[in-house]
Amino acid sequence: MELIGSTLTATYARPKSSHFLPAISTMASSYRNPQTALTVNPSAGLWRANSYYKSNSTIPSPSIQRENLDMVRAKTVLYPSNRSVLTTRYTPDDWYKSNHNNYRESESSRKSAERLRKDTIRLMQDKEQLTRRTQESTSKNIGERLNDIVFWKSELSHEIDNMVTEIAALNEVKRRLERALAETEGPLQVSQECLYHREKRMSIDLVHDDVEKDLIKEVEVIKSCQERMRRHLDRAIAQLSNRAAQHELERDLSDKVTAQRIDERCHYLRNTSDGIGYYRGIDRLDPISLPDSWSKFTDDNILHSQSERAASHKLRDEIEILLNSTSNEMWNQFNNVNVAFSNRISETADAKNSLQTHLAKTLQEIFQTEMLIESIKKALRDKECPLKVAQTRLEERTRRPNIELCRDNPHHLVSEVREIEDTIQKFQERLMEAENTLQTLVMTKVTLEHDLSVKANSLFLDQEKCMSMRKSFPSMPRLVGYT
């Protein structure tokens, strides 16, 4: 029970007061307040048992009890009891009942306090265990998350290594393709120069022969190979855009490394760790991704990188096949052109030799014809004197007088003259024929000599100009891009 006039500290430390009896002053209160307070209401200090019991017949609610207690306390403080006026207020039964009520209330309060204490201790223990389990579960989840990060990080590292290897291989094939493309410029220039030189052939040798056909085909083959190489080179350059996939993998790996470092620090945080603190509102932060989308993002990056690697590998195989096929095509056509050149040079050399033989024979025949002409001319000159003699004889015998002008046997000089004239005429015809033959032989000689010069020029162009340039051709390793 509260002591009247107790200090504020004592008031806060008091036990739960009883509501069975009104508050009365105590001896200590009387000693602290010796003077008697004036009673405003004379009937205020009277106490009636029947009204007391009547008022306690119904148990008021705790709030009403607290209000009544405060009112009684206030009235008691303002109006302390005057023991000199009242002699007796309670009966012994009231006193015993009040004590028993206080005992019961004290026991009830202790039980409530003990129950509250046990419930609170049990609650604290449960919450401590729950907090510990939650923290352990969170640590476990962070550990599992670290395992996931380590797994995907290893997958990313492996894929990045494969991508770097593939990019290096594609770059090497690209450089080989560029070198092979550059190597084709020399053979193409040689073929074009051969065609240009062979345009300098003269006369009948300016023929569309097998050599020219093969040279034109060689130029077409080389240009076709160059075109295919350029297309594949453009594809290789475009395929090297898989560096973007590599950059995505590297960025994802960098994010994984950062996340791993953060989660490792979080995983090893304890209640006694340094650097822990309050961060208000951090629980309301909305994450960007979910576990499914997080793993799908990395998996998509890896799948994209694998598809790029597969395309790059396929392109490398195609370039390898292209290099081998183009080198074989160019080598085969180069050999075909060289064989055609050899055959043509052999044919031209044979024709030249034949022309030289015919020219020698023609020269010999010209010489003999010239000798024949000289012989005919000499024979004609030799016939002049006999003709003169015969004609002179005839002319002299025509001077015979009268009957002496007889057709005697000597008169057959006429036939002699005619015979000599006929012979001279035949010699002149033969001379004319010989001179015509000589003219024909001379024209043939000129033709043969011109043809010989043509053949010599063709041999010089094919053998000296063209074949001297075609003695060397890029080797197979150089044609496939190796140095």
Side-chain angles (χ1 to χ4, degrees), residues 1-2 4 16-26 47-58 60 65 68-73 76 89-102 104-105:
M1 295 178 64
E2 182 181 1
I4 300 301
K16 185 178 181 182
S17 60
S18 172
H19 304 291
F20 180 72
L21 293 175
I24 58 176
S25 61
T26 58
W47 179 79
R48 289 174 295 183
N50 56 354
S51 63
Y52 170 76
Y53 290 112
K54 183 179 178 181
S55 62
N56 284 276
S57 61
T58 60
Q65 289 179 357
N68 293 335
L69 177 61
D70 294 337
M71 293 178 61
V72 172
R73 186 183 302 162
T76 303
R89 293 184 178 181
Y90 306 109
T91 63
D93 292 335
D94 296 335
W95 183 79
Y96 285 113
K97 288 180 180 179
S98 176
N99 288 337
H100 284 295
N101 287 331
N102 290 333
R104 285 195 301 271
E105 289 183 3

Side-chain angles (χ1 to χ4, degrees), residues 207-398:
V207 64
H208 187 60
D209 54 3
D210 292 338
V211 176
E212 187 172 356
K213 294 178 182 177
D214 288 337
L215 280 173
I216 294 174
K217 184 177 180 181
E218 184 177 32
V219 171
E220 293 175 352
V221 167
I222 294 175
K223 288 185 177 180
S224 174
C225 293
Q226 287 180 340
E227 181 63 26
R228 284 182 288 168
M229 287 180 181
R230 289 192 184 96
R231 287 201 302 268
H232 282 75
L233 184 60
D234 293 338
R235 289 180 58 191
I237 293 173
Q239 185 60 45
L240 284 175
S241 62
N242 55 18
R243 290 181 184 272
Q246 178 187 356
H247 294 332
E248 289 293 331
L249 293 176
E250 290 174 348
R251 185 175 64 178
D252 196 1
L253 180 62
S254 176
D255 294 343
K256 293 287 187 295
V257 171
T258 303
Q260 182 183 6
R261 183 173 63 253
I262 294 173
D263 283 348
E264 283 179 350
R265 187 168 64 249
C266 293
H267 184 65
Y268 291 109
L269 280 179
R270 296 294 182 268
N271 295 332
T272 57
S273 300
D274 296 333
I276 59 177
Y278 292 105
Y279 298 92
R280 301 299 180 185
I282 195 65
D283 55 336
R284 292 190 295 272
L285 179 64
D286 189 14
I288 297 177
S289 63
L290 298 174
D292 293 338
S293 62
W294 173 78
S295 60
K296 186 177 183 299
F297 176 78
T298 303
D299 190 43
D300 290 342
N301 286 337
I302 293 175
L303 289 177
H304 178 62
S305 175
Q306 289 175 348
S307 64
E308 290 292 336
R309 282 196 301 109
S312 176
H313 188 274
K314 181 180 178 182
L315 179 59
R316 284 195 299 111
D317 292 340
E318 292 178 359
I319 292 175
E320 289 288 349
I321 296 173
L322 173 67
L323 290 174
N324 292 326
S325 62
T326 53
S327 61
N328 289 328
E329 290 176 10
M330 287 187 289
W331 256 105
N332 292 334
Q333 189 59 33
F334 172 76
N335 292 329
N336 292 336
V337 172
N338 286 350
V339 170
F341 261 115
S342 299
N343 294 335
R344 187 60 178 173
I345 289 171
S346 178
E347 290 176 357
T348 305
D350 292 341
K352 180 183 176 184
N353 293 331
S354 298
L355 287 173
Q356 287 176 343
T357 302
H358 285 282
L359 179 60
K361 293 179 178 180
T362 302
L363 290 174
Q364 181 66 29
E365 192 64 32
I366 288 174
F367 174 75
Q368 292 178 358
T369 303
E370 289 176 348
M371 293 298 294
L372 176 63
I373 290 172
E374 291 298 328
S375 300
I376 293 173
K377 287 181 178 181
K378 184 178 180 301
L380 285 173
R381 287 193 302 268
D382 292 341
K383 297 301 180 182
E384 289 177 359
C385 291
L387 180 61
K388 289 177 180 180
V389 171
Q391 288 179 351
T392 300
R393 285 176 177 177
L394 283 176
E395 194 277 331
E396 287 292 333
R397 295 192 78 211
T398 59

Side-chain angles (χ1 to χ4, degrees), residues 3 34 36 47 54 70 116 119 129 146 168 191 228 247 299 361 366 372 399 405 419-420 433 454:
L3 299 176
T36 305
W47 179 79
K54 183 179 178 181
D70 294 337
L116 176 63
D119 291 342
Q129 293 177 1
L146 281 172
S191 300
R228 284 182 288 168
H247 294 332
D299 190 43
K361 293 179 178 180
I366 288 174
L372 176 63
R399 294 177 185 178
L405 190 62
E419 181 181 351
I420 293 173
E433 290 179 2
V454 170

Side-chain angles (χ1 to χ4, degrees), residues 176-195:
R176 285 176 51 199
L177 186 59
E178 290 173 346
R179 289 194 293 265
L181 181 60
E183 288 292 336
T184 59
E185 292 297 330
L188 178 61
Q189 185 177 0
V190 169
S191 300
Q192 291 175 341
E193 288 185 2
C194 287
L195 286 172

